[in-house]
Coordinates of all heavy atoms in Angstrom, one line a residue:
Q326 N -10.2 -4.2 -9.7 CA -9.9 -4.6 -11.1 C -10.6 -3.7 -12.1 O -10.1 -3.3 -13.1 CB -10.4 -6.0 -11.3 CG -9.5 -7.0 -10.5 CD -10.1 -8.4 -10.6 OE1 -11.2 -8.7 -11.1 NE2 -9.4 -9.4 -10.0
Q327 N -11.8 -3.2 -11.7 CA -12.5 -2.3 -12.6 C -11.8 -1.0 -12.7 O -11.8 -0.4 -13.8 CB -14.0 -2.1 -12.1 CG -14.8 -3.4 -12.3 CD -16.1 -3.3 -11.5 OE1 -16.2 -2.7 -10.4 NE2 -17.1 -4.0 -11.9
L328 N -11.3 -0.5 -11.6 CA -10.5 0.7 -11.6 C -9.3 0.6 -12.5 O -8.9 1.4 -13.3 CB -10.0 1.1 -10.2 CG -11.0 1.9 -9.3 CD1 -10.4 2.1 -8.0 CD2 -11.4 3.2 -10.0
E329 N -8.6 -0.6 -12.4 CA -7.4 -0.8 -13.2 C -7.7 -0.9 -14.7 O -6.9 -0.5 -15.5 CB -6.7 -2.1 -12.8 CG -6.1 -2.1 -11.4 CD -5.5 -3.4 -11.0 OE1 -5.5 -4.3 -11.8 OE2 -5.0 -3.5 -9.8
T330 N -8.9 -1.3 -15.1 CA -9.3 -1.4 -16.5 C -10.1 -0.2 -16.9 O -10.7 -0.2 -18.0 CB -10.1 -2.7 -16.7 OG1 -11.2 -2.8 -15.8 CG2 -9.2 -3.9 -16.5
A331 N -10.1 0.8 -16.1 CA -10.7 2.1 -16.5 C -12.2 2.0 -16.6 O -12.9 2.8 -17.3 CB -10.1 2.7 -17.7
K332 N -12.8 1.0 -15.9 CA -14.3 0.9 -15.9 C -14.8 1.8 -14.8 O -15.3 1.2 -13.7 CB -14.7 -0.5 -15.8 CG -14.4 -1.4 -17.0 CD -14.9 -2.8 -16.7 CE -14.7 -3.7 -17.9 NZ -15.2 -5.1 -17.7
L333 N -14.8 3.1 -14.9 CA -15.1 4.0 -13.8 C -16.6 4.0 -13.6 O -17.1 3.8 -12.5 CB -14.5 5.3 -14.1 CG -13.0 5.4 -14.3 CD1 -12.6 6.9 -14.5 CD2 -12.2 4.8 -13.2
I334 N -17.4 4.4 -14.6 CA -18.8 4.6 -14.5 C -19.5 3.8 -15.6 O -20.8 3.8 -15.7 CB -19.2 6.0 -14.5 CG1 -18.7 6.7 -15.8 CG2 -18.7 6.7 -13.2 CD1 -19.2 8.2 -15.9
E335 N -18.8 3.2 -16.5 CA -19.4 2.4 -17.6 C -18.6 1.1 -17.7 O -17.4 1.1 -17.3 CB -19.2 3.3 -18.9 CG -20.2 4.5 -19.0 CD -21.6 4.1 -19.3 OE1 -21.8 3.2 -20.2 OE2 -22.5 4.6 -18.7
P336 N -19.1 0.1 -18.3 CA -20.5 -0.1 -18.7 C -21.5 -0.2 -17.6 O -21.1 -0.5 -16.5 CB -20.5 -1.4 -19.6 CG -19.3 -2.1 -19.0 CD -18.3 -1.1 -18.5
V337 N -22.8 -0.1 -17.9 CA -23.8 -0.1 -16.9 C -23.8 -1.5 -16.2 O -23.7 -2.5 -16.9 CB -25.2 0.1 -17.5 CG1 -26.3 -0.1 -16.4 CG2 -25.2 1.5 -18.1
G338 N -23.8 -1.5 -14.9 CA -23.8 -2.7 -14.1 C -22.4 -3.4 -13.9 O -22.3 -4.4 -13.2
D339 N -21.4 -2.9 -14.6 CA -20.1 -3.4 -14.5 C -19.1 -2.3 -14.4 O -18.3 -2.2 -15.3 CB -19.8 -4.4 -15.6 CG -18.4 -5.1 -15.5 OD1 -17.9 -5.1 -14.4 OD2 -17.9 -5.5 -16.6
N340 N -19.1 -1.5 -13.3 CA -18.2 -0.4 -13.2 C -17.8 -0.2 -11.7 O -18.5 -0.7 -10.8 CB -18.8 0.9 -13.8 CG -20.1 1.3 -13.2 OD1 -20.1 1.7 -12.0 ND2 -21.2 1.0 -13.9
A341 N -16.7 0.5 -11.5 CA -16.2 0.6 -10.2 C -17.2 1.4 -9.3 O -17.3 1.1 -8.1 CB -14.8 1.3 -10.2
Y342 N -17.8 2.4 -9.8 CA -18.7 3.2 -9.0 C -19.9 2.3 -8.5 O -20.2 2.4 -7.3 CB -19.3 4.4 -9.9 CG -20.4 5.1 -9.2 CD1 -20.2 5.9 -8.1 CD2 -21.8 4.9 -9.5 CE1 -21.2 6.5 -7.4 CE2 -22.8 5.5 -8.8 CZ -22.5 6.3 -7.8 OH -23.5 6.9 -7.1
K343 N -20.4 1.5 -9.3 CA -21.5 0.6 -8.9 C -21.0 -0.4 -7.8 O -21.7 -0.6 -6.8 CB -22.0 -0.2 -10.1 CG -23.0 -1.3 -9.8 CD -24.3 -0.7 -9.3 CE -25.5 -1.7 -9.3 NZ -25.2 -2.9 -8.6
S344 N -19.8 -0.9 -8.0 CA -19.3 -1.8 -7.0 C -19.0 -1.2 -5.6 O -19.4 -1.7 -4.6 CB -17.9 -2.4 -7.5 OG -18.1 -3.2 -8.7
Y345 N -18.5 0.0 -5.6 CA -18.3 0.7 -4.4 C -19.6 1.1 -3.7 O -19.7 1.1 -2.5 CB -17.4 2.0 -4.6 CG -15.9 1.6 -4.8 CD1 -15.3 2.2 -5.9 CD2 -15.2 0.8 -4.0 CE1 -13.9 1.8 -6.2 CE2 -13.9 0.5 -4.2 CZ -13.3 1.0 -5.3 OH -11.9 0.7 -5.6
Q346 N -20.6 1.5 -4.6 CA -21.9 1.8 -4.1 C -22.5 0.6 -3.4 O -23.1 0.7 -2.3 CB -22.8 2.2 -5.2 CG -24.2 2.5 -4.8 CD -25.1 2.8 -6.0 OE1 -24.7 3.4 -7.0 NE2 -26.3 2.3 -6.0
D347 N -22.4 -0.6 -4.0 CA -22.9 -1.8 -3.4 C -22.2 -2.1 -2.0 O -22.9 -2.6 -1.1 CB -22.7 -3.0 -4.3 CG -23.6 -2.9 -5.6 OD1 -24.5 -2.1 -5.5 OD2 -23.2 -3.6 -6.6
I348 N -20.9 -1.9 -1.9 CA -20.2 -2.1 -0.7 C -20.7 -1.2 0.4 O -21.0 -1.6 1.6 CB -18.7 -1.9 -0.9 CG1 -18.2 -3.0 -1.8 CG2 -18.0 -1.9 0.5 CD1 -16.7 -2.7 -2.3
L349 N -20.9 0.1 0.1 CA -21.4 1.1 1.1 C -22.8 0.9 1.5 O -23.2 1.3 2.6 CB -21.2 2.5 0.5 CG -19.8 3.0 0.4 CD1 -19.7 4.3 -0.4 CD2 -19.1 3.1 1.7
E350 N -23.6 0.2 0.7 CA -24.9 -0.1 1.1 C -24.9 -1.2 2.2 O -25.8 -1.3 3.0 CB -25.8 -0.6 -0.1 CG -26.2 0.5 -1.0 CD -26.9 0.0 -2.2 OE1 -27.0 -1.2 -2.4 OE2 -27.4 0.9 -3.0
I351 N -23.9 -2.0 2.2 CA -23.7 -3.1 3.2 C -23.0 -2.5 4.4 O -23.4 -2.8 5.6 CB -22.9 -4.3 2.6 CG1 -23.6 -4.9 1.5 CG2 -22.6 -5.3 3.7 CD1 -22.8 -5.9 0.7
M352 N -21.9 -1.7 4.2 CA -21.1 -1.2 5.3 C -20.8 0.3 5.0 O -19.8 0.6 4.3 CB -19.8 -2.0 5.4 CG -19.0 -1.6 6.6 SD -17.5 -2.6 6.7 CE -16.8 -2.1 8.3
P353 N -21.7 1.2 5.4 CA -21.6 2.6 5.0 C -20.3 3.3 5.4 O -20.0 4.4 4.8 CB -22.8 3.3 5.7 CG -23.8 2.1 5.9 CD -22.9 0.9 6.2
D354 N -19.6 2.8 6.4 CA -18.3 3.5 6.8 C -17.1 2.8 6.3 O -16.0 3.0 6.8 CB -18.3 3.6 8.3 CG -18.3 2.2 9.0 OD1 -18.6 1.2 8.3 OD2 -17.9 2.1 10.2
N355 N -17.2 2.0 5.2 CA -16.1 1.3 4.7 C -15.1 2.3 4.0 O -15.4 2.9 3.0 CB -16.5 0.2 3.7 CG -15.3 -0.6 3.2 OD1 -14.6 -0.2 2.3 ND2 -15.1 -1.8 3.8
R356 N -13.9 2.4 4.6 CA -13.0 3.4 4.1 C -12.4 3.1 2.7 O -12.1 4.0 2.0 CB -11.9 3.6 5.1 CG -12.3 4.3 6.4 CD -11.1 4.5 7.3 NE -11.4 5.3 8.4 CZ -10.6 5.7 9.4 NH1 -9.4 5.3 9.3 NH2 -11.0 6.4 10.4
D357 N -12.3 1.8 2.5 CA -11.7 1.4 1.2 C -12.7 1.9 0.1 O -12.3 2.3 -1.0 CB -11.5 -0.1 1.1 CG -10.4 -0.5 2.0 OD1 -9.4 0.2 2.0 OD2 -10.5 -1.6 2.6
A358 N -14.0 1.7 0.3 CA -15.0 2.1 -0.7 C -15.0 3.6 -0.9 O -15.1 4.1 -2.0 CB -16.4 1.5 -0.3
L359 N -14.9 4.3 0.3 CA -14.9 5.8 0.2 C -13.7 6.3 -0.6 O -13.8 7.2 -1.4 CB -14.9 6.3 1.6 CG -16.2 6.1 2.4 CD1 -16.0 6.6 3.8 CD2 -17.4 6.8 1.7
R360 N -12.5 5.6 -0.3 CA -11.3 6.0 -1.0 C -11.5 5.7 -2.5 O -11.0 6.4 -3.4 CB -10.1 5.3 -0.5 CG -9.6 5.9 0.8 CD -8.2 5.3 1.2 NE -8.2 3.9 1.5 CZ -8.3 3.4 2.7 NH1 -8.3 4.3 3.7 NH2 -8.3 2.1 2.9
G361 N -12.2 4.6 -2.8 CA -12.4 4.2 -4.2 C -13.2 5.3 -4.9 O -12.9 5.7 -6.1
L362 N -14.3 5.8 -4.2 CA -15.1 6.8 -4.8 C -14.3 8.1 -5.1 O -14.4 8.8 -6.1 CB -16.3 7.1 -3.9 CG -17.5 6.1 -3.9 CD1 -18.5 6.6 -2.9 CD2 -18.1 6.0 -5.3
D363 N -13.4 8.4 -4.1 CA -12.6 9.5 -4.3 C -11.6 9.4 -5.5 O -11.4 10.3 -6.2 CB -11.8 9.8 -3.0 CG -11.2 11.2 -2.9 OD1 -11.8 12.1 -3.4 OD2 -10.1 11.3 -2.3
S364 N -11.1 8.2 -5.6 CA -10.2 7.9 -6.8 C -11.0 8.1 -8.1 O -10.4 8.6 -9.0 CB -9.7 6.5 -6.7 OG -8.9 6.2 -7.8
I365 N -12.2 7.5 -8.2 CA -13.0 7.7 -9.4 C -13.2 9.2 -9.6 O -13.1 9.7 -10.8 CB -14.4 7.0 -9.2 CG1 -14.2 5.5 -9.1 CG2 -15.3 7.4 -10.4 CD1 -15.5 4.8 -8.8
S366 N -13.5 9.9 -8.6 CA -13.8 11.4 -8.7 C -12.5 12.1 -9.3 O -12.6 12.9 -10.2 CB -14.2 12.0 -7.4 OG -14.4 13.3 -7.5
D367 N -11.4 11.7 -8.7 CA -10.1 12.4 -9.1 C -9.8 12.1 -10.6 O -9.3 12.9 -11.3 CB -9.0 12.0 -8.2 CG -9.1 12.6 -6.8 OD1 -9.8 13.6 -6.7 OD2 -8.5 12.0 -5.9
R368 N -10.0 10.8 -10.9 CA -9.7 10.4 -12.3 C -10.6 11.1 -13.3 O -10.2 11.5 -14.4 CB -9.7 8.9 -12.4 CG -8.5 8.2 -11.7 CD -8.6 6.7 -11.6 NE -8.5 6.1 -12.9 CZ -8.4 4.8 -13.1 NH1 -8.3 4.0 -12.0 NH2 -8.3 4.3 -14.3
L369 N -11.9 11.2 -13.0 CA -12.8 11.9 -13.9 C -12.5 13.3 -14.0 O -12.5 13.9 -15.0 CB -14.3 11.7 -13.3 CG -14.9 10.3 -13.5 CD1 -16.2 10.3 -12.8 CD2 -15.1 9.9 -14.9
D370 N -12.1 13.9 -12.8 CA -11.7 15.3 -12.8 C -10.5 15.5 -13.7 O -10.4 16.5 -14.5 CB -11.4 15.8 -11.4 CG -11.2 17.3 -11.3 OD1 -12.0 18.0 -12.0 OD2 -10.3 17.7 -10.5
K371 N -9.5 14.6 -13.7 CA -8.4 14.7 -14.5 C -8.7 14.6 -16.0 O -8.2 15.4 -16.9 CB -7.4 13.6 -14.2 CG -6.1 13.7 -15.0 CD -5.1 12.5 -14.6 CE -3.8 12.6 -15.4 NZ -2.9 11.5 -15.0
Q372 N -9.6 13.7 -16.3 CA -10.1 13.5 -17.7 C -10.8 14.8 -18.2 O -10.5 15.3 -19.3 CB -11.1 12.4 -17.8 CG -10.4 11.0 -17.6 CD -11.4 9.9 -17.7 OE1 -12.5 10.1 -18.2 NE2 -11.0 8.7 -17.2
I373 N -11.6 15.4 -17.4 CA -12.3 16.6 -17.7 C -11.3 17.7 -17.9 O -11.4 18.5 -18.9 CB -13.4 16.9 -16.7 CG1 -14.5 15.9 -16.7 CG2 -13.9 18.3 -16.9 CD1 -15.4 16.0 -15.5
T374 N -10.4 17.9 -17.0 CA -9.4 18.9 -17.2 C -8.6 18.8 -18.5 O -8.3 19.8 -19.2 CB -8.4 18.9 -16.0 OG1 -9.1 19.0 -14.8 CG2 -7.3 20.0 -16.1
E375 N -8.2 17.6 -18.8 CA -7.5 17.3 -20.1 C -8.4 17.7 -21.3 O -7.9 18.4 -22.2 CB -7.1 15.9 -20.2 CG -6.0 15.5 -19.2 CD -5.7 14.0 -19.3 OE1 -6.5 13.3 -20.0 OE2 -4.8 13.5 -18.6
M376 N -9.7 17.4 -21.3 CA -10.5 17.8 -22.4 C -10.8 19.3 -22.4 O -10.9 19.8 -23.5 CB -11.8 17.0 -22.3 CG -11.7 15.5 -22.4 SD -13.3 14.6 -22.5 CE -13.7 15.0 -24.2
Q377 N -10.8 19.9 -21.3 CA -11.0 21.4 -21.3 C -9.7 22.0 -21.9 O -9.8 23.0 -22.6 CB -11.2 21.9 -19.8 CG -12.6 21.6 -19.3 CD -12.7 21.9 -17.8 OE1 -11.7 22.0 -17.1 NE2 -13.9 22.2 -17.4
T378 N -8.6 21.5 -21.5 CA -7.3 22.0 -22.0 C -7.3 21.9 -23.6 O -6.7 22.8 -24.3 CB -6.1 21.3 -21.4 OG1 -6.2 21.4 -20.0 CG2 -4.8 21.8 -22.0
Q379 N -7.9 20.8 -24.1 CA -7.9 20.6 -25.5 C -9.0 21.3 -26.2 O -9.2 21.1 -27.4 CB -7.9 19.1 -25.8 CG -6.7 18.3 -25.3 CD -7.0 16.8 -25.3 OE1 -8.0 16.3 -25.8 NE2 -6.0 16.1 -24.7
G380 N -9.9 22.0 -25.4 CA -11.0 22.7 -26.0 C -12.1 21.8 -26.4 O -13.0 22.2 -27.2

Side-chain angles (χ1 to χ4, degrees):
Q326 293 174 354
Q327 290 166 332
L328 277 178
E329 291 178 4
T330 55
K332 293 182 178 180
L333 304 183
I334 58 176
E335 290 282 318
V337 176
D339 181 23
N340 59 73
Y342 172 73
K343 174 66 164 58
S344 296
Y345 288 128
Q346 174 185 326
D347 291 342
I348 293 168
L349 289 172
E350 287 179 352
I351 299 171
M352 189 179 184
D354 62 345
N355 186 278
R356 288 184 173 180
D357 290 321
L359 292 174
R360 284 193 292 265
L362 285 176
D363 197 32
S364 177
I365 293 172
S366 177
D367 289 340
R368 289 172 67 170
L369 289 173
D370 190 38
K371 182 179 179 181
Q372 291 178 16
I373 292 167
T374 300
E375 290 175 352
M376 296 189 75
Q377 287 174 333
T378 301
Q379 298 168 4

